[in-house]
Amino acid sequence: AQSVTQLDSQVPVFEEAPVELRCNYSSSVSVYLFWYVQYPNQGLQLLLKYLSGSTLVKGINGFEAEFNKSQTSFHLRKPSVHISDTAEYFCAVSDPYSGAGSYQLTFGKGTKLSVIP
Amino acid sequence: KAGVTQTPRYLIKTRGQQVTLSCSPISGHRSVSWYQQTPGQGLQFLFEYFSETQRNKGNFPGRFSGRQFSNSRSEMNVSTLELGDSALYLCASSTTGFAGELFFGEGSRLTVL
């Protein structure tokens, strides 16, 4: 079974500073990778996804992530954070070859990003 | 385009009762998935339906069940509620296109007393 590890449960960062949220996954086969964001009392919103191709993926709100197959990592970065980025961020993996024909996601435990004014 | 709609948003039940949660997917989406979110276990996959058929099921007891109707709307049911069932239940819909690109509703927050 796949697993996703988000190494930091909480990350405080000052406004306009850069941030990196770390994510590692367990699968050694090709997978699809995702970052979702959850604002308080809301559902999850897709930030970006890696399906294939370029290892640097750009998403919404200025976020980007880099897929590293050798390190089985998919870290999320933003060069300058804003107060509005305060939220919980989830890394997720999907196995396109599971054979179930079903789009099941395995999520990490989440990282709470707190942007300090 | 309307998003994924879940009802009710909040509900309180007592142990032993049952509950039914409803989800209306984005128009045109035929896949509906359900996830349970708790502080301790995080987000866990419950099941996924496509064209009224359950295609995949997570590791949850048989008290958790679901179904999908011909209009793609879905319901999930939890019988004989336990305290540990208190959680945010999230529904997500998708097309058959990109795997894993799920569109989530705001969830139904269940509290079991």
Side-chain angles (χ1 to χ4, degrees):
Chain A
Q2 295 173 3
S3 66
V4 177
T5 302
Q6 292 185 242
L7 296 163
D8 305 298
S9 60
Q10 297 189 54
V11 173
V13 63
F14 286 103
E15 193 174 14
E16 297 183 6
V19 69
E20 178 179 81
L21 305 183
R22 297 179 292 170
C23 172
N24 287 87
Y25 61 96
S26 65
S27 177
S28 61
V29 298
S30 296
V31 293
Y32 295 158
L33 294 158
F34 307 83
W35 277 98
Y36 283 83
V37 60
Q38 186 176 32
Y39 298 102
N41 298 316
Q42 294 188 25
L44 279 71
Q45 179 184 3
L46 180 65
L47 272 179
L48 48 80
K49 62 183 183 286
Y50 173 80
L51 304 182
S52 65
S54 173
T55 58
L56 184 62
V57 180
K58 294 191 182 296
I60 63 172
N61 300 339
F63 284 94
E64 63 182 31
E66 185 155 20
F67 169 60
N68 188 318
K69 187 174 183 179
S70 62
Q71 297 186 8
T72 60
S73 68
F74 190 55
H75 300 332
L76 180 70
R77 301 186 184 102
K78 186 170 183 178
S80 176
V81 295
H82 304 288
I83 296 291
S84 59
D85 293 323
T86 295
E88 191 160 17
Y89 293 79
F90 293 91
C91 182
V93 62
S94 169
D95 180 359
Y97 304 108
S98 67
S102 171
Y103 304 139
Q104 172 184 344
L105 290 179
T106 299
F107 285 90
K109 294 287 191 183
T111 298
K112 290 185 179 178
L113 174 64
S114 298
V115 180
I116 305 163
Chain B
K1 202 178 208 181
V4 177
T5 304
Q6 291 188 246
T7 57
R9 288 291 312 280
Y10 302 91
L11 66 166
I12 300 173
K13 294 286 187 178
T14 56
R15 280 180 297 175
Q17 288 186 309
Q18 73 166 14
V19 65
T20 299
L21 309 178
S22 179
C23 172
S24 293
I26 291 172
S27 178
H29 286 193
R30 296 167 65 187
S31 169
V32 173
S33 302
W34 289 89
Y35 288 81
Q36 181 196 62
Q37 185 178 24
T38 60
Q41 298 299 317
L43 283 149
Q44 293 184 289
F45 172 75
L46 281 158
F47 27 66
E48 188 251 357
Y49 288 86
F50 181 82
S51 293
E52 302 179 65
T53 300
Q54 185 183 89
R55 293 200 295 190
N56 201 359
K57 190 177 191 305
N59 189 26
F60 278 82
R63 301 185 296 107
F64 292 81
S65 63
R67 59 178 175 170
Q68 186 181 33
F69 302 96
S70 58
N71 61 358
S72 294
R73 190 177 70 84
S74 177
E75 290 181 346
M76 67 162 283
N77 184 276
V78 187
S79 63
T80 319
L81 285 167
E82 301 177 359
L83 295 179
D85 298 332
S86 294
L88 180 67
Y89 290 88
L90 291 165
C91 168
S93 73
S94 68
T95 66
T96 57
F98 292 108
E101 186 167 6
L102 303 180
F103 295 84
F104 283 83
E106 293 186 315
S108 293
R109 184 166 296 281
L110 170 65
T111 301
V112 182
L113 302 176

